[in-house]
Amino acid sequence: MEELVVELVGVTKRFDRVTAVDNVTLQIRRGEFFSLLGPSGCGKTTSLRLVAGFEEPDQGEIRLDGKPVQSLPPYRRRVNTVFQSYALFPHLNVYDNVAFGLRRSSVPEAEIQTRVSQALELVRLPDLLARRTTELSGGQQQRVALARALVNQPQVLLLDEPMSALDPKLRRDMRTELKRLQKDLGITFVLVTHDQEEALSTSDRVAVMNAGKVEQVDAPRAIYERPATRFVADFIGTANFLPATVRAVNNGRSTVVLADGVSLVAPSAEKAPVGARVELSVRPERLWLTREPGSNGSNCLPARVVECTYMGPVTRYTVEVAEGVRLTTEQQNQDVVDGYQAGESVFLQWRPTSGTLLPAEAR
Amino acid sequence: MKQRTAWLLVLPMVGWLVFFYLLPLGAVALQSFHLVTPDYEIGKELTLENYRRAMNPDYYPVLLRSASYAAATTLACLVLGYPLAYFIALHGGRHKSLFLLLLMLPFWTSYLVRTYCWMTLLQTEGLINTVLFEPWLGRPLDMLATDGSVILGLTYGFLPFATLPISVALERIDRSLLEASADLGGSPLSTFLKVVLPLSRPGVIAATLLTFVPAMGDFVTPELLGGPSTITIGQAIQEQYLQLFDWPFGAALALLLMVLMLIGIALYLRLSGSERVLA
Ligand SMILES: Nc1ncnc2c1ncn2[C@@H]1O[C@H](COP(=O)(O)OP(=O)(O)OP(=O)(O)O)[C@@H](O)[C@H]1O
Ligand SMILES: [Mg+2]
């Protein structure tokens, strides 16, 4: 069941001075929707191009369907790419663009005809066969690019920021559409994006990349709820960080102490043994503010409100728990009748299970 | 207002065209309807006599020869220039401008001088014979004053004019299209045939025109590298002007050639469906 379609094993790719992909190991399963997510310049595109065959790795092995392919040219690999710029052939009409791949593998013309119409129907774009691609809207071009790739029934479909040129509304629609296509066809999709919402909402699994390295590979929920590194916690959504030291590990629960001696409880983490310097990360929406200290087993920190911003459904508070240690939290406005004022002393609380212990990074 | 300022910018060029192209052309056209007097003056009487003379079937082989030279030159320039342009545009890397400069380098010497150089190279006692054919065949080859020497000279002269537009067209091709082709299973050969070649068509069309048209009217090269058997229409016109001093008849020949060429160009553009491409 857990068949691997794409494998990168210790792959490194350097350009003149930069190491674009740094010792990356990835395993992508058959039929899954996999995303490469990371900030600009972290090596997502390069990773994708290595799989497609446009770049050759300096080190490591790339396998498609279990076979090493790093020395195969792109036209010998059964993967297809949807390019960021779509790269539709301007001298060919829609039909000939979609038929391009089939013609290269000498499919009979009659079969080409049916498969091209099927592919265009799949992306909901029939009736434009004779149109020049330069006469299409951005969204239509994208659908043609998708059809042109899918019509070849690739083992893997690679998509490099396919939606970055679309307006936000269209982007959301396309996102749903992509997900539907992937489910219906059962083809493995590898999507490159720097849009976390896009990655989290479409993917079965997400790889978060940073500076050429893979920081974490996990399901979207795990990426958000249990980030493996400070980078992931910070890059996905917003996170609060409290520097601390692990005092005790007991039965899946760790006790950590802050610099001022307050102790807090959080789920244990493998990389946070007793004595380790860690950072306790909590999402803003998991924190709540009270005027009285709690007593129901939640973590509780005295704090002072520094800033409050009313935003309609929620109010965002910035609070200071110690000199220079500030956290943000968002409170639903229905819960709080009169809100808190800047300068007010409050208590900040959260459930122990809401926190994540991250190894402190040497900075 | 803005529109008018923009028109001011083209004014110098319009002026240039009027004074150095349209007026002389009008003068030539006017001349062609007069006869030359015995003392080489232009006569007063209006007549079509020059055109009647120009329709003389004796000129057909000359015209045909010129067209064949121009066609052969164009073909040779495309065959030689395309790979050159391909290399410069797609593999020139950061030395691209250097290669283009090298391509243009011959222009720093007069065309006349360069053609004389070919003369010394090709003649019976020339470098090519003494170094290559005499040791190899035991005797020199007569290379000058042949169709080959004329076509060689023309090709040499016009190769840069063919290479430049093709290389510009190739340069403009989005690289991701080449990757897209490879991605869809296109081997390097089919990527070239199905993507690169069709997309470079405007360049090829421009190259064809930039070679064929001037090669057709050229007279320096056949004059220097050719002989009695390689007279071209350009030479025939030049002869009327500079040797027989029958300017009106030369004018009639030149205008007929021009009309013929214009018809040819129009047909070519229509057939290659490129009015839009060039527009
Ligand atoms: N052909 C190249 N030559 C030199 N450096 C390159 C080349 N391609 C990529 N790089 C460098 O490699 C690094 C990773 O680039 P890559 O395009 O993979 O990033 P990315 O994650 O796709 O970024 P973005 O989100 O901006 O597209 C960058 O520092 C980039 O400058
Ligand atoms: Mg990229």
Side-chain angles (χ1 to χ4, degrees), chain A residues 49 52 54 74-75 79-81 83 85 87-91 100-101 104 132 148-149 152, chain B residues 174 176-188 190-191 194-196 198-199 276:
Chain A
R49 291 172 59 82
F54 301 131
Y75 55 92
V79 299
N80 285 117
T81 308
F83 293 84
S85 58
L88 297 178
F89 301 117
H91 59 299
F100 194 92
R104 299 290 81 74
R132 294 217 146 222
R148 184 178 71 172
N152 305 293
Chain B
D174 184 354
S176 65
L177 295 178
L178 310 186
E179 292 187 345
S181 171
D183 188 75
L184 294 164
S187 64
S190 68
T191 297
K194 298 294 174 189
V195 180
V196 178
L199 286 175
R276 261 197 325 176

Side-chain angles (χ1 to χ4, degrees), chain A residues 185-200:
Chain A
L185 297 172
I187 292 178
T188 312
F189 277 31
V190 181
L191 173 78
V192 158
T193 177
H194 61 256
D195 180 340
Q196 43 171 303
E197 201 182 304
E198 192 170 297
L200 296 183

Side-chain angles (χ1 to χ4, degrees), chain A residues 40-41 43-46 84 160-161 192 194:
Chain A
S40 188
K44 309 179 293 289
T45 296
T46 307
Q84 182 166 9
D160 190 357
E161 313 231 8
V192 158
H194 61 256

